[in-house]
Amino acid sequence: MDKPSTLLVHFDKGSAAMANEIKADLEGSDVAAKVEAMKRAVMLLLNGETLPTLFITIVRYVLPSEDHTIQKLLLLYLEIIDKRDAAGRVLPEMILICQNLRNNLQHPNEYIRGVTLRFLCRLSEPEVLEPLVPSILENLEHRHHFIRRHALSAISAIYRLPQGDQLIPDAPELVERALASEQDASARRNAFVMLCLCGTERAVAYLLSNAERVMEWPDLLQMAAVDLIRKVCRPPNRADKGRYIKIIFSLRSSPSTAVLYECAGAIVSLSSAPTAVRAAAETYCQLLSSQSDNNVRLILLDRLNELHTSHRDVMVDVVMDVLRALASPNLDVKRKVLDLVLDLLTLRNVEEVVLYLKKEVVKTQSGELEKGGEYRQMLVEAIHACALCVSMIQRLSDTFYQIRASRVCSIALWILGEYSLSLSEVESAIATIKQCLGDLPFFTISEEGESADSSKPAQPVVNSVTVSSRRPVVLADGTYATQSAATEAISTPSVTPGSLASTLNLRSLILSGDFFLAAVVAYTLTKLVLRLEEVQPSKVEANKACTGALLVMTSILQLGLSSYLPQPIDNDSYDRIVLCVRLLCNTGDDVRRIWLQSCRQSFAKMLAEKQFRETEEMRAKAQISHAQPDDLIDFYHLKSRKGMSQLELEDEVQDDLKAATGGFTKETDDANRLNRILQLTGFSDPVYAEAFVTVHHYDIVLDVTVVNRTKETLQNLCLELATMGDLKLVDRPQNYTLAPESSKQVRANIKVSSTETGVIFGNIVYETSNVMERSVVVLNDIHIDIMDYISPATCADVTFRNMWAEFEWENKVAVNTVIQDEKKFLNHVIKSTNMKCLTPPSALDGECGYIAANLYAKSVFGEDALVNISIEKQVDGKLSGYIRIRSKTQGIALSLGDKITLKQKGGS
């Protein structure tokens, strides 16, 4: 098992002595000591220390240094420190570094120039950047591509500032000229991205003018081109979509796998035409077969699954391409492939799929594959799901005699009785059952000394083997007789006469006392005879089959009521066989409709309920959108088709359908976002704070808004947080200076290690110029709900029972609620716990005064949560019972129990 480990890292907080030590090292001439001192200074600043007296020392003794490592650390230091005062003005000291930065931009060493340009991308102070602009522009024409690359990035970052168009007003034009003459791949990419962000028209013009040469571009530039196409083709700007799609299609032959992946995603986002969807699916399948990384394969299978959800008819054509991913040794990939393929089966491809799966089964028999047994089981289940009804019925009839297990015989008989529809299938099923039963009756009674045998004489071309057993019995008149049960085996010459009967499996099982199977035989024969009367034109043949079925049933009843077997027939089986006899003797239309139609409808309803469990999550994820009354709908039939390709024509149809059904509309749940805003302090506190909590799998992100409500500047304001439970604070938020009546966004990251309810608490500490001591504002606790970690999931009933028996932690909660309707209470618990009800709706129908249901959920950590609800309505109308929770870990059982205890009393 993986166990958590703790690493203690020692860190000394900043102090006056440490600051003096750093200052002394910086003032010295030892380069190594200066490097270590700068590293310590940067670490202290990152951990919230201010070190206000260090700046002048760095300006005097570090700026002139020629060492590359010191210069790099200097830029890190300048990036971290606060460059503005409490009023928002740039500190006067910042002007001191402008000359040094200008010198670096003109330095003969390419590395110094490059890292300085990269540093300028992170500056947002126009007062510092303005004197550096001429030097930055000069680097656009430098001979080394490393400098030109970062110069383009710096121009892009400066131009995107609020006042950037005043600092470099002609930046798009300069970058466009540089892009036309640039040869370096990274530099061209940076220039093109800048035009995409700041001069979209120029970027589009460059792309369209080079549409024929896009394939010759480096992959970095091709990726940027795909992003631009996605940006400019969003509704309603879709006029030239056909030209852009042609560029995307040409990029599908790129040797870069990243470009291929982005192209496939762009094609689907731009067009929903079958041609486009098929091209995207083929691209994903090409990547699926060429990539060896299992994580990449899982991502590609997710993309294919998304296509299958909305474009199943198109995805059917790439089933065999998807199947090739079974070559992966990873079972998760194999399982995902099989699940996807089974959803894409049709009558056209099922035989080819089954043949491929059979070849895979043969490969597993060599024993060379890791976890071959589990993979073989997956393949067998998939093959069973692929089987065609007609071929399965015929094969089942041909191989039925090989079945030896009673339970398997019962299931096979039910399939024969339910799905034998044609005349040939019904006659073949009846003949198979009679052959497996052998001669009737099952036993004979003769006078003592005489031999009783129900077997037929042997045929000249086959061997007849009779297996019989005899025992003396007393007849009703007091005379003795010998009772014998005989079975006859017809064997080919290759079968030894001494072997047991190989075809009389039903006879052997019934003679062993399995009267439940005998009742299934009677039930199946009844259904087959009823169907034969509908499909058989000859009434004589139908009556003959009915007579034969009645003979079988009476023989079974005779055997069950005799004293030959140790145990007589049970009452349930007896009643069922008698019902079948009465039905065949007098059949009405209503009874016939129940046996031939209602039974299958009930089975179909049960299957629909099982499928509902699997598809309900997908339906919930589907976006519910509606078109607005004033939305425009373009009728492509009324448009001019001149110059339009087939793909554009198909896409026009799909766009019309989406516009009519609201496919382009996306709605956001603003109310849900508002529910995640928590007030941390009071309105009368000097510092007001509220947090927006985002829970994403293993991470909790707190976006805390801090507002200074006073007329004074708050210095060294720090958000101090602590956690309770399996929560870990990733980093400590740094100190800030907050101007009067201003606000600041503070982000804190917290790691989650288990599914338990956790608590985040803390306070805000700050200093003012009037008060020497630090002031503290205590924050309200933030309770992290367990519902953020678990989500509804489904599992088979057998799996649920196995986990229920295996899990050792149980929490039993007594029902205590004001709700008086059991179904309403069940729905309330499901909503409160965010779990999935595994009990089908048909089992919850009706009004019987009690209800029992199983709920299931899975956490983001892979933990299973099982809940069983058993309640009944008392005479006074109140509900009583228990809610039992089981899980493998204690935390989820306790946390879920507390949640249910808290929520079960409410009715909303």
Side-chain angles (χ1 to χ4, degrees), residues 285 288 318-327 337-338 341 349 352-354 356-357 360 375:
C285 291
L288 189 63
V318 298
V319 168
M320 298 309 299
D321 296 330
V322 176
L323 272 177
R324 293 189 181 94
L326 289 177
V337 168
L338 292 175
V341 168
N349 59 24
E352 194 174 5
V353 170
V354 171
Y356 192 95
L357 295 179
E360 290 294 312
Y375 178 42

mmCIF file with all atom_site columns, all heavy atoms in Angstrom, residues 285 288 318-327 337-338 341 349 352-354 356-357 360 375:
data_model
loop_
_atom_site.group_PDB
_atom_site.id
_atom_site.type_symbol
_atom_site.label_atom_id
_atom_site.label_alt_id
_atom_site.label_comp_id
_atom_site.label_asym_id
_atom_site.label_entity_id
_atom_site.label_seq_id
_atom_site.pdbx_PDB_ins_code
_atom_site.Cartn_x
_atom_site.Cartn_y
_atom_site.Cartn_z
_atom_site.occupancy
_atom_site.B_iso_or_equiv
_atom_site.pdbx_formal_charge
_atom_site.auth_seq_id
_atom_site.auth_comp_id
_atom_site.auth_asym_id
_atom_site.auth_atom_id
_atom_site.pdbx_PDB_model_num
ATOM 1   N N   . CYS A 1 285 ? -8.105  8.081   -34.607 1.00 0.00 ? 285 CYS A N   1
ATOM 2   C CA  . CYS A 1 285 ? -7.751  6.661   -34.710 1.00 0.00 ? 285 CYS A CA  1
ATOM 3   C C   . CYS A 1 285 ? -6.313  6.485   -35.178 1.00 0.00 ? 285 CYS A C   1
ATOM 4   O O   . CYS A 1 285 ? -5.607  5.576   -34.726 1.00 0.00 ? 285 CYS A O   1
ATOM 5   C CB  . CYS A 1 285 ? -8.705  5.952   -35.667 1.00 0.00 ? 285 CYS A CB  1
ATOM 6   S SG  . CYS A 1 285 ? -10.395 5.802   -35.054 1.00 0.00 ? 285 CYS A SG  1
ATOM 7   N N   . LEU A 1 288 ? -4.290  7.089   -32.238 1.00 0.00 ? 288 LEU A N   1
ATOM 8   C CA  . LEU A 1 288 ? -4.486  6.007   -31.277 1.00 0.00 ? 288 LEU A CA  1
ATOM 9   C C   . LEU A 1 288 ? -3.609  4.804   -31.593 1.00 0.00 ? 288 LEU A C   1
ATOM 10  O O   . LEU A 1 288 ? -3.086  4.141   -30.684 1.00 0.00 ? 288 LEU A O   1
ATOM 11  C CB  . LEU A 1 288 ? -5.959  5.603   -31.273 1.00 0.00 ? 288 LEU A CB  1
ATOM 12  C CG  . LEU A 1 288 ? -6.434  4.634   -30.193 1.00 0.00 ? 288 LEU A CG  1
ATOM 13  C CD1 . LEU A 1 288 ? -6.267  5.238   -28.822 1.00 0.00 ? 288 LEU A CD1 1
ATOM 14  C CD2 . LEU A 1 288 ? -7.892  4.245   -30.429 1.00 0.00 ? 288 LEU A CD2 1
ATOM 15  N N   . VAL A 1 318 ? -15.611 3.644   -38.244 1.00 0.00 ? 318 VAL A N   1
ATOM 16  C CA  . VAL A 1 318 ? -14.218 3.546   -37.782 1.00 0.00 ? 318 VAL A CA  1
ATOM 17  C C   . VAL A 1 318 ? -14.069 2.539   -36.649 1.00 0.00 ? 318 VAL A C   1
ATOM 18  O O   . VAL A 1 318 ? -13.088 2.583   -35.901 1.00 0.00 ? 318 VAL A O   1
ATOM 19  C CB  . VAL A 1 318 ? -13.691 4.931   -37.340 1.00 0.00 ? 318 VAL A CB  1
ATOM 20  C CG1 . VAL A 1 318 ? -13.684 5.902   -38.502 1.00 0.00 ? 318 VAL A CG1 1
ATOM 21  C CG2 . VAL A 1 318 ? -14.516 5.494   -36.192 1.00 0.00 ? 318 VAL A CG2 1
ATOM 22  N N   . VAL A 1 319 ? -15.023 1.619   -36.529 1.00 0.00 ? 319 VAL A N   1
ATOM 23  C CA  . VAL A 1 319 ? -14.980 0.646   -35.431 1.00 0.00 ? 319 VAL A CA  1
ATOM 24  C C   . VAL A 1 319 ? -13.721 -0.197  -35.498 1.00 0.00 ? 319 VAL A C   1
ATOM 25  O O   . VAL A 1 319 ? -13.034 -0.405  -34.484 1.00 0.00 ? 319 VAL A O   1
ATOM 26  C CB  . VAL A 1 319 ? -16.241 -0.240  -35.462 1.00 0.00 ? 319 VAL A CB  1
ATOM 27  C CG1 . VAL A 1 319 ? -16.072 -1.431  -34.535 1.00 0.00 ? 319 VAL A CG1 1
ATOM 28  C CG2 . VAL A 1 319 ? -17.458 0.553   -35.039 1.00 0.00 ? 319 VAL A CG2 1
ATOM 29  N N   . MET A 1 320 ? -13.378 -0.680  -36.671 1.00 0.00 ? 320 MET A N   1
ATOM 30  C CA  . MET A 1 320 ? -12.214 -1.562  -36.787 1.00 0.00 ? 320 MET A CA  1
ATOM 31  C C   . MET A 1 320 ? -10.923 -0.805  -36.497 1.00 0.00 ? 320 MET A C   1
ATOM 32  O O   . MET A 1 320 ? -9.967  -1.373  -35.948 1.00 0.00 ? 320 MET A O   1
ATOM 33  C CB  . MET A 1 320 ? -12.168 -2.185  -38.176 1.00 0.00 ? 320 MET A CB  1
ATOM 34  C CG  . MET A 1 320 ? -13.376 -3.053  -38.498 1.00 0.00 ? 320 MET A CG  1
ATOM 35  S SD  . MET A 1 320 ? -13.735 -4.285  -37.225 1.00 0.00 ? 320 MET A SD  1
ATOM 36  C CE  . MET A 1 320 ? -12.236 -5.241  -37.259 1.00 0.00 ? 320 MET A CE  1
ATOM 37  N N   . ASP A 1 321 ? -10.867 0.468   -36.843 1.00 0.00 ? 321 ASP A N   1
ATOM 38  C CA  . ASP A 1 321 ? -9.690  1.263   -36.506 1.00 0.00 ? 321 ASP A CA  1
ATOM 39  C C   . ASP A 1 321 ? -9.545  1.426   -35.005 1.00 0.00 ? 321 ASP A C   1
ATOM 40  O O   . ASP A 1 321 ? -8.429  1.418   -34.462 1.00 0.00 ? 321 ASP A O   1
ATOM 41  C CB  . ASP A 1 321 ? -9.787  2.637   -37.174 1.00 0.00 ? 321 ASP A CB  1
ATOM 42  C CG  . ASP A 1 321 ? -9.767  2.553   -38.688 1.00 0.00 ? 321 ASP A CG  1
ATOM 43  O OD1 . ASP A 1 321 ? -9.131  1.611   -39.201 1.00 0.00 ? 321 ASP A OD1 1
ATOM 44  O OD2 . ASP A 1 321 ? -10.373 3.408   -39.347 1.00 0.00 ? 321 ASP A OD2 1
ATOM 45  N N   . VAL A 1 322 ? -10.663 1.576   -34.312 1.00 0.00 ? 322 VAL A N   1
ATOM 46  C CA  . VAL A 1 322 ? -10.623 1.698   -32.851 1.00 0.00 ? 322 VAL A CA  1
ATOM 47  C C   . VAL A 1 322 ? -10.170 0.378   -32.225 1.00 0.00 ? 322 VAL A C   1
ATOM 48  O O   . VAL A 1 322 ? -9.421  0.353   -31.244 1.00 0.00 ? 322 VAL A O   1
ATOM 49  C CB  . VAL A 1 322 ? -12.001 2.121   -32.306 1.00 0.00 ? 322 VAL A CB  1
ATOM 50  C CG1 . VAL A 1 322 ? -11.997 2.154   -30.786 1.00 0.00 ? 322 VAL A CG1 1
ATOM 51  C CG2 . VAL A 1 322 ? -12.393 3.483   -32.852 1.00 0.00 ? 322 VAL A CG2 1
ATOM 52  N N   . LEU A 1 323 ? -10.597 -0.742  -32.803 1.00 0.00 ? 323 LEU A N   1
ATOM 53  C CA  . LEU A 1 323 ? -10.252 -2.053  -32.243 1.00 0.00 ? 323 LEU A CA  1
ATOM 54  C C   . LEU A 1 323 ? -8.750  -2.317  -32.254 1.00 0.00 ? 323 LEU A C   1
ATOM 55  O O   . LEU A 1 323 ? -8.252  -3.103  -31.442 1.00 0.00 ? 323 LEU A O   1
ATOM 56  C CB  . LEU A 1 323 ? -10.967 -3.153  -33.030 1.00 0.00 ? 323 LEU A CB  1
ATOM 57  C CG  . LEU A 1 323 ? -12.372 -3.543  -32.559 1.00 0.00 ? 323 LEU A CG  1
ATOM 58  C CD1 . LEU A 1 323 ? -12.960 -4.588  -33.485 1.00 0.00 ? 323 LEU A CD1 1
ATOM 59  C CD2 . LEU A 1 323 ? -12.336 -4.053  -31.139 1.00 0.00 ? 323 LEU A CD2 1
ATOM 60  N N   . ARG A 1 324 ? -8.027  -1.685  -33.139 1.00 0.00 ? 324 ARG A N   1
ATOM 61  C CA  . ARG A 1 324 ? -6.580  -1.917  -33.201 1.00 0.00 ? 324 ARG A CA  1
ATOM 62  C C   . ARG A 1 324 ? -5.880  -1.447  -31.932 1.00 0.00 ? 324 ARG A C   1
ATOM 63  O O   . ARG A 1 324 ? -4.746  -1.861  -31.659 1.00 0.00 ? 324 ARG A O   1
ATOM 64  C CB  . ARG A 1 324 ? -5.993  -1.215  -34.423 1.00 0.00 ? 324 ARG A CB  1
ATOM 65  C CG  . ARG A 1 324 ? -6.465  -1.804  -35.750 1.00 0.00 ? 324 ARG A CG  1
ATOM 66  C CD  . ARG A 1 324 ? -5.695  -1.230  -36.929 1.00 0.00 ? 324 ARG A CD  1
ATOM 67  N NE  . ARG A 1 324 ? -6.176  -1.791  -38.179 1.00 0.00 ? 324 ARG A NE  1
ATOM 68  C CZ  . ARG A 1 324 ? -7.101  -1.218  -38.950 1.00 0.00 ? 324 ARG A CZ  1
ATOM 69  N NH1 . ARG A 1 324 ? -7.606  -0.060  -38.574 1.00 0.00 ? 324 ARG A NH1 1
ATOM 70  N NH2 . ARG A 1 324 ? -7.493  -1.785  -40.064 1.00 0.00 ? 324 ARG A NH2 1
ATOM 71  N N   . ALA A 1 325 ? -6.540  -0.596  -31.163 1.00 0.00 ? 325 ALA A N   1
ATOM 72  C CA  . ALA A 1 325 ? -5.948  -0.136  -29.901 1.00 0.00 ? 325 ALA A CA  1
ATOM 73  C C   . ALA A 1 325 ? -5.914  -1.238  -28.858 1.00 0.00 ? 325 ALA A C   1
ATOM 74  O O   . ALA A 1 325 ? -5.306  -1.065  -27.794 1.00 0.00 ? 325 ALA A O   1
ATOM 75  C CB  . ALA A 1 325 ? -6.709  1.070   -29.362 1.00 0.00 ? 325 ALA A CB  1
ATOM 76  N N   . LEU A 1 326 ? -6.540  -2.391  -29.122 1.00 0.00 ? 326 LEU A N   1
ATOM 77  C CA  . LEU A 1 326 ? -6.445  -3.519  -28.189 1.00 0.00 ? 326 LEU A CA  1
ATOM 78  C C   . LEU A 1 326 ? -5.031  -4.063  -28.105 1.00 0.00 ? 326 LEU A C   1
ATOM 79  O O   . LEU A 1 326 ? -4.729  -4.876  -27.220 1.00 0.00 ? 326 LEU A O   1
ATOM 80  C CB  . LEU A 1 326 ? -7.401  -4.639  -28.617 1.00 0.00 ? 326 LEU A CB  1
ATOM 81  C CG  . LEU A 1 326 ? -8.898  -4.358  -28.436 1.00 0.00 ? 326 LEU A CG  1
ATOM 82  C CD1 . LEU A 1 326 ? -9.713  -5.522  -28.982 1.00 0.00 ? 326 LEU A CD1 1
ATOM 83  C CD2 . LEU A 1 326 ? -9.235  -4.134  -26.965 1.00 0.00 ? 326 LEU A CD2 1
ATOM 84  N N   . ALA A 1 327 ? -4.164  -3.637  -29.000 1.00 0.00 ? 327 ALA A N   1
ATOM 85  C CA  . ALA A 1 327 ? -2.765  -4.053  -28.923 1.00 0.00 ? 327 ALA A CA  1
ATOM 86  C C   . ALA A 1 327 ? -2.050  -3.458  -27.723 1.00 0.00 ? 327 ALA A C   1
ATOM 87  O O   . ALA A 1 327 ? -0.967  -3.908  -27.353 1.00 0.00 ? 327 ALA A O   1
ATOM 88  C CB  . ALA A 1 327 ? -2.033  -3.653  -30.209 1.00 0.00 ? 327 ALA A CB  1
ATOM 89  N N   . VAL A 1 337 ? -11.713 0.663   -24.935 1.00 0.00 ? 337 VAL A N   1
ATOM 90  C CA  . VAL A 1 337 ? -11.909 0.339   -26.350 1.00 0.00 ? 337 VAL A CA  1
ATOM 91  C C   . VAL A 1 337 ? -13.128 -0.570  -26.521 1.00 0.00 ? 337 VAL A C   1
ATOM 92  O O   . VAL A 1 337 ? -13.991 -0.343  -27.384 1.00 0.00 ? 337 VAL A O   1
ATOM 93  C CB  . VAL A 1 337 ? -10.638 -0.320  -26.922 1.00 0.00 ? 337 VAL A CB  1
ATOM 94  C CG1 . VAL A 1 337 ? -10.911 -0.920  -28.298 1.00 0.00 ? 337 VAL A CG1 1
ATOM 95  C CG2 . VAL A 1 337 ? -9.517  0.690   -27.010 1.00 0.00 ? 337 VAL A CG2 1
ATOM 96  N N   . LEU A 1 338 ? -13.224 -1.598  -25.691 1.00 0.00 ? 338 LEU A N   1
ATOM 97  C CA  . LEU A 1 338 ? -14.342 -2.532  -25.810 1.00 0.00 ? 338 LEU A CA  1
ATOM 98  C C   . LEU A 1 338 ? -15.671 -1.848  -25.508 1.00 0.00 ? 338 LEU A C   1
ATOM 99  O O   . LEU A 1 338 ? -16.679 -2.098  -26.182 1.00 0.00 ? 338 LEU A O   1
ATOM 100 C CB  . LEU A 1 338 ? -14.127 -3.722  -24.868 1.00 0.00 ? 338 LEU A CB  1
ATOM 101 C CG  . LEU A 1 338 ? -12.962 -4.661  -25.240 1.00 0.00 ? 338 LEU A CG  1
ATOM 102 C CD1 . LEU A 1 338 ? -12.775 -5.726  -24.172 1.00 0.00 ? 338 LEU A CD1 1
ATOM 103 C CD2 . LEU A 1 338 ? -13.201 -5.312  -26.589 1.00 0.00 ? 338 LEU A CD2 1
ATOM 104 N N   . VAL A 1 341 ? -16.542 0.203   -28.583 1.00 0.00 ? 341 VAL A N   1
ATOM 105 C CA  . VAL A 1 341 ? -16.894 -0.616  -29.745 1.00 0.00 ? 341 VAL A CA  1
ATOM 106 C C   . VAL A 1 341 ? -18.277 -1.230  -29.573 1.00 0.00 ? 341 VAL A C   1
ATOM 107 O O   . VAL A 1 341 ? -19.067 -1.295  -30.528 1.00 0.00 ? 341 VAL A O   1
ATOM 108 C CB  . VAL A 1 341 ? -15.814 -1.698  -29.963 1.00 0.00 ? 341 VAL A CB  1
ATOM 109 C CG1 . VAL A 1 341 ? -16.293 -2.740  -30.970 1.00 0.00 ? 341 VAL A CG1 1
ATOM 110 C CG2 . VAL A 1 341 ? -14.525 -1.062  -30.428 1.00 0.00 ? 341 VAL A CG2 1
ATOM 111 N N   . ASN A 1 349 ? -21.313 -4.423  -39.113 1.00 0.00 ? 349 ASN A N   1
ATOM 112 C CA  . ASN A 1 349 ? -19.935 -4.624  -38.636 1.00 0.00 ? 349 ASN A CA  1
ATOM 113 C C   . ASN A 1 349 ? -19.806 -5.658  -37.533 1.00 0.00 ? 349 ASN A C   1
ATOM 114 O O   . ASN A 1 349 ? -18.697 -5.933  -37.080 1.00 0.00 ? 349 ASN A O   1
ATOM 115 C CB  . ASN A 1 349 ? -19.356 -3.295  -38.144 1.00 0.00 ? 349 ASN A CB  1
ATOM 116 C CG  . ASN A 1 349 ? -20.169 -2.675  -37.012 1.00 0.00 ? 349 ASN A CG  1
ATOM 117 O OD1 . ASN A 1 349 ? -20.889 -3.365  -36.292 1.00 0.00 ? 349 ASN A OD1 1
ATOM 118 N ND2 . ASN A 1 349 ? -20.058 -1.375  -36.843 1.00 0.00 ? 349 ASN A ND2 1
ATOM 119 N N   . GLU A 1 352 ? -17.556 -8.803  -38.328 1.00 0.00 ? 352 GLU A N   1
ATOM 120 C CA  . GLU A 1 352 ? -16.134 -8.461  -38.400 1.00 0.00 ? 352 GLU A CA  1
ATOM 121 C C   . GLU A 1 352 ? -15.566 -8.197  -37.010 1.00 0.00 ? 352 GLU A C   1
ATOM 122 O O   . GLU A 1 352 ? -14.433 -8.595  -36.697 1.00 0.00 ? 352 GLU A O   1
ATOM 123 C CB  . GLU A 1 352 ? -15.961 -7.235  -39.292 1.00 0.00 ? 352 GLU A CB  1
ATOM 124 C CG  . GLU A 1 352 ? -14.524 -6.981  -39.719 1.00 0.00 ? 352 GLU A CG  1
ATOM 125 C CD  . GLU A 1 352 ? -14.417 -5.849  -40.714 1.00 0.00 ? 352 GLU A CD  1
ATOM 126 O OE1 . GLU A 1 352 ? -15.449 -5.210  -41.004 1.00 0.00 ? 352 GLU A OE1 1
ATOM 127 O OE2 . GLU A 1 352 ? -13.304 -5.609  -41.198 1.00 0.00 ? 352 GLU A OE2 1
ATOM 128 N N   . VAL A 1 353 ? -16.349 -7.552  -36.150 1.00 0.00 ? 353 VAL A N   1
ATOM 129 C CA  . VAL A 1 353 ? -15.900 -7.272  -34.790 1.00 0.00 ? 353 VAL A CA  1
ATOM 130 C C   . VAL A 1 353 ? -15.735 -8.570  -34.009 1.00 0.00 ? 353 VAL A C   1
ATOM 131 O O   . VAL A 1 353 ? -14.736 -8.775  -33.304 1.00 0.00 ? 353 VAL A O   1
ATOM 132 C CB  . VAL A 1 353 ? -16.884 -6.319  -34.087 1.00 0.00 ? 353 VAL A CB  1
ATOM 133 C CG1 . VAL A 1 353 ? -16.560 -6.213  -32.604 1.00 0.00 ? 353 VAL A CG1 1
ATOM 134 C CG2 . VAL A 1 353 ? -16.841 -4.942  -34.733 1.00 0.00 ? 353 VAL A CG2 1
ATOM 135 N N   . VAL A 1 354 ? -16.704 -9.466  -34.111 1.00 0.00 ? 354 VAL A N   1
ATOM 136 C CA  . VAL A 1 354 ? -16.636 -10.737 -33.386 1.00 0.00 ? 354 VAL A CA  1
ATOM 137 C C   . VAL A 1 354 ? -15.431 -11.549 -33.844 1.00 0.00 ? 354 VAL A C   1
ATOM 138 O O   . VAL A 1 354 ? -14.730 -12.168 -33.030 1.00 0.00 ? 354 VAL A O   1
ATOM 139 C CB  . VAL A 1 354 ? -17.941 -11.530 -33.570 1.00 0.00 ? 354 VAL A CB  1
ATOM 140 C CG1 . VAL A 1 354 ? -17.802 -12.937 -33.008 1.00 0.00 ? 354 VAL A CG1 1
ATOM 141 C CG2 . VAL A 1 354 ? -19.097 -10.806 -32.893 1.00 0.00 ? 354 VAL A CG2 1
ATOM 142 N N   . TYR A 1 356 ? -12.613 -10.413 -35.004 1.00 0.00 ? 356 TYR A N   1
ATOM 143 C CA  . TYR A 1 356 ? -11.409 -9.791  -34.437 1.00 0.00 ? 356 TYR A CA  1
ATOM 144 C C   . TYR A 1 356 ? -11.266 -10.136 -32.960 1.00 0.00 ? 356 TYR A C   1
ATOM 145 O O   . TYR A 1 356 ? -10.159 -10.431 -32.480 1.00 0.00 ? 356 TYR A O   1
ATOM 146 C CB  . TYR A 1 356 ? -11.492 -8.276  -34.626 1.00 0.00 ? 356 TYR A CB  1
ATOM 147 C CG  . TYR A 1 356 ? -10.207 -7.533  -34.342 1.00 0.00 ? 356 TYR A CG  1
ATOM 148 C CD1 . TYR A 1 356 ? -9.324  -7.212  -35.363 1.00 0.00 ? 356 TYR A CD1 1
ATOM 149 C CD2 . TYR A 1 356 ? -9.863  -7.165  -33.046 1.00 0.00 ? 356 TYR A CD2 1
ATOM 150 C CE1 . TYR A 1 356 ? -8.135  -6.539  -35.110 1.00 0.00 ? 356 TYR A CE1 1
ATOM 151 C CE2 . TYR A 1 356 ? -8.683  -6.492  -32.778 1.00 0.00 ? 356 TYR A CE2 1
ATOM 152 C CZ  . TYR A 1 356 ? -7.826  -6.186  -33.811 1.00 0.00 ? 356 TYR A CZ  1
ATOM 153 O OH  . TYR A 1 356 ? -6.659  -5.531  -33.550 1.00 0.00 ? 356 TYR A OH  1
ATOM 154 N N   . LEU A 1 357 ? -12.385 -10.111 -32.229 1.00 0.00 ? 357 LEU A N   1
ATOM 155 C CA  . LEU A 1 357 ? -12.327 -10.437 -30.805 1.00 0.00 ? 357 LEU A CA  1
ATOM 156 C C   . LEU A 1 357 ? -11.955 -11.895 -30.578 1.00 0.00 ? 357 LEU A C   1
ATOM 157 O O   . LEU A 1 357 ? -11.248 -12.221 -29.618 1.00 0.00 ? 357 LEU A O   1
ATOM 158 C CB  . LEU A 1 357 ? -13.677 -10.114 -30.148 1.00 0.00 ? 357 LEU A CB  1
ATOM 159 C CG  . LEU A 1 357 ? -14.084 -8.635  -30.130 1.00 0.00 ? 357 LEU A CG  1
ATOM 160 C CD1 . LEU A 1 357 ? -15.447 -8.472  -29.467 1.00 0.00 ? 357 LEU A CD1 1
ATOM 161 C CD2 . LEU A 1 357 ? -13.052 -7.795  -29.409 1.00 0.00 ? 357 LEU A CD2 1
ATOM 162 N N   . GLU A 1 360 ? -8.321  -12.201 -30.725 1.00 0.00 ? 360 GLU A N   1
ATOM 163 C CA  . GLU A 1 360 ? -7.715  -11.719 -29.493 1.00 0.00 ? 360 GLU A CA  1
ATOM 164 C C   . GLU A 1 360 ? -7.815  -12.776 -28.387 1.00 0.00 ? 360 GLU A C   1
ATOM 165 O O   . GLU A 1 360 ? -6.897  -12.922 -27.573 1.00 0.00 ? 360 GLU A O   1
ATOM 166 C CB  . GLU A 1 360 ? -8.387  -10.422 -29.041 1.00 0.00 ? 360 GLU A CB  1
ATOM 167 C CG  . GLU A 1 360 ? -8.078  -9.224  -29.918 1.00 0.00 ? 360 GLU A CG  1
ATOM 168 C CD  . GLU A 1 360 ? -6.615  -8.833  -29.847 1.00 0.00 ? 360 GLU A CD  1
ATOM 169 O OE1 . GLU A 1 360 ? -6.084  -8.721  -28.724 1.00 0.00 ? 360 GLU A OE1 1
ATOM 170 O OE2 . GLU A 1 360 ? -5.997  -8.650  -30.916 1.00 0.00 ? 360 GLU A OE2 1
ATOM 171 N N   . TYR A 1 375 ? -8.148  -10.135 -19.131 1.00 0.00 ? 375 TYR A N   1
ATOM 172 C CA  . TYR A 1 375 ? -8.392  -9.658  -20.492 1.00 0.00 ? 375 TYR A CA  1
ATOM 173 C C   . TYR A 1 375 ? -9.275  -10.649 -21.251 1.00 0.00 ? 375 TYR A C   1
ATOM 174 O O   . TYR A 1 375 ? -10.179 -10.259 -22.002 1.00 0.00 ? 375 TYR A O   1
ATOM 175 C CB  . TYR A 1 375 ? -7.065  -9.445  -21.199 1.00 0.00 ? 375 TYR A CB  1
ATOM 176 C CG  . TYR A 1 375 ? -7.183  -8.987  -22.629 1.00 0.00 ? 375 TYR A CG  1
ATOM 177 C CD1 . TYR A 1 375 ? -8.123  -8.027  -23.008 1.00 0.00 ? 375 TYR A CD1 1
ATOM 178 C CD2 . TYR A 1 375 ? -6.347  -9.504  -23.624 1.00 0.00 ? 375 TYR A CD2 1
ATOM 179 C CE1 . TYR A 1 375 ? -8.224  -7.600  -24.325 1.00 0.00 ? 375 TYR A CE1 1
ATOM 180 C CE2 . TYR A 1 375 ? -6.440  -9.081  -24.939 1.00 0.00 ? 375 TYR A CE2 1
ATOM 181 C CZ  . TYR A 1 375 ? -7.381  -8.133  -25.279 1.00 0.00 ? 375 TYR A CZ  1
ATOM 182 O OH  . TYR A 1 375 ? -7.490  -7.715  -26.579 1.00 0.00 ? 375 TYR A OH  1
#
